[in-house]
């Protein structure tokens, strides 16, 4: 009994040491690897995996596993009726001695890893009274099986890990604030300089008019930055909820095109739309409209004089999922193709980074957040956004979004 007590004390001393390590790590990927290593060590198991609830969509997704690459992890969707899904829903640990006989066990992970799971201990990761993910330990070593101490230890580790993950997220959110402040400095400096000039009584009328125009432009830029920052903050924190409903794809495309019609006509740019009139989308119409406005505005802004923009929407063979929907739905691919300047391969690699401005389009004003926001909206719908571009030929953006179930399309 004394030996067992000493082992327990040693385990908790190690747990305290690990807790210090976790709280001093702010890089999320490094943090996740520390958590996995600690889980396998403290519970004496073969493997460990960690899943997090996506803040935007509410879906449970693999984030890290002992023997899996990030590409393999990204390819795995976690069904809500799985063991991990049950843990998220009930916020309770689960201990399964024989995974093959539990109907909740999801075998897709084993198939990707070419691994055989015999038994599993899973615990919820709770932060701010909310389950943010699941930590699992797989295949207990030795012949004695799982003990109550294992459940207690892994639950304690999961609680500490959840706090560390939230701290990492807050740190990077603060990093976004720092980026925003940096971006605000230029228009604020212009406003300060402009107002100083306007105070000079000897300022010529023509110059005064130019300064006023600059002040109006920079004020609008500040307003757009503030709006974009709030949009991105809500999307990344999960506070922007989708108002999912059926909407006619062609109507949504027409409404979006009309917003940029005047800008396009002023430059002689012709916009065409190809879409079946019966094609129905299953998504948040206002947010999809926001995505389209961003893509169409860019297509006009970076196009050549007398250019063309081709807008299309077609059904695909892909299957998508929306939060709180048990069945997959066929996806619609919406594309916006222009005949503009195009972009280099190097620019395309960074296109969806915050505040990135491609060198080919650096002469145009913008917040540098529009495409990031569009990407977050599309991903919240269970879709993805892609881009292809050729210098001096043009650029095509396309994204997928679920259509209404086929039974509703007939």
């Amino acid at each position: 009994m004394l030996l067992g007590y000493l082992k327990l004390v040693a385990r908790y001393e190690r747990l305290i040491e690990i807790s210090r390590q976790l709280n001093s790590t702010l890089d999320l990927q490094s943090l996740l690897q520390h958590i996995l290593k600690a889980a396998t060590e403290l519970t004496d198991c073969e493997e460990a995996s960690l899943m997090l609830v996506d803040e935007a969509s509410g879906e449970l997704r693999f984030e890290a596993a002992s023997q899996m690459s990030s590409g393999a992890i990204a390819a795995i969707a976690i069904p809500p009726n799985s063991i991990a899904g049950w843990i998220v829903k009930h916020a309770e640990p689960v201990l399964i001695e024989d995974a093959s006989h539990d109907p909740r066990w999801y075998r897709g992970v084993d198939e990707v890893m070419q691994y055989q799971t015999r038994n599993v201990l899973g615990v919820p990761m709770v932060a701010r009274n909310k389950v943010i993910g699941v930590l699992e330990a797989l295949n207990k070593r030795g012949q004695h099986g799982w003990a109550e101490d294992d459940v207690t230890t892994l639950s304690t580790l999961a609680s500490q890990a959840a706090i560390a993950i939230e701290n990492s997220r807050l740190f990077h959110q603060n990093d976004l604030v720092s980026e925003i402040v940096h971006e605000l400095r230029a228009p604020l400096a212009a406003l300060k300089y402009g107002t100083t000039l306007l105070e000079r009584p000897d300022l010529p009328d023509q110059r005064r008019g130019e300064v006023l125009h600059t002040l109006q432009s920079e004020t609008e830029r500040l307003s757009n930055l503030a709006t974009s920052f709030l949009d991105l903050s809500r999307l990344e924190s999960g506070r922007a909820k989708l108002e999912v409903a059926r909407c006619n794809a062609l109507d949504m495309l027409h409404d979006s095109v009309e917003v940029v019609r005047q800008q396009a006509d002023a430059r002689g740019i012709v916009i065409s739309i190809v879409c079946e009139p019966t094609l129905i989308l299953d998504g948040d119409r206002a947010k999809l409209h926001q995505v389209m406005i961003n893509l169409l505005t860019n297509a006009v802004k970076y196009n050549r004089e007398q250019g063309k923009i081709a807008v299309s929407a077609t059904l695909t063979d892909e299957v998508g999922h929306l939060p709180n929907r048990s069945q997959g739905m066929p996806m619609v691919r919406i594309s916006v193709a222009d005949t503009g300047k195009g972009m280099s391969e190097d620019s395309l690699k960074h296109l969806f980074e915050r505040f990135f401005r491609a060198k080919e389009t650096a002469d145009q004003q913008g917040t540098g957040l529009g495409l990031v926001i569009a990407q977050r909206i599309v991903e919240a719908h269970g879709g993805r956004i892609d881009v292809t571009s050729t210098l001096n030929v043009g650029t095509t953006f396309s994204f997928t979004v679920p259509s209404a179930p086929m039974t509703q399309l007939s």
Side-chain angles (χ1 to χ4, degrees), residues 12 15 123 151-161:
Y12 276 95
L15 194 56
V123 298
V151 180
T152 303
T153 301
L154 195 65
S155 296
T156 304
L157 175 63
S159 297
Q160 296 172 347

Side-chain angles (χ1 to χ4, degrees), residues 314-321 328-333 384 400-403 406:
T314 56
L315 270 174
T316 73
D317 296 330
E318 299 177 57
V319 176
H321 297 269
M329 289 164 288
M331 302 292 278
V332 172
R333 178 168 293 279
R384 71 174 192 272
T400 54
V401 60
S403 75
M406 294 303 294

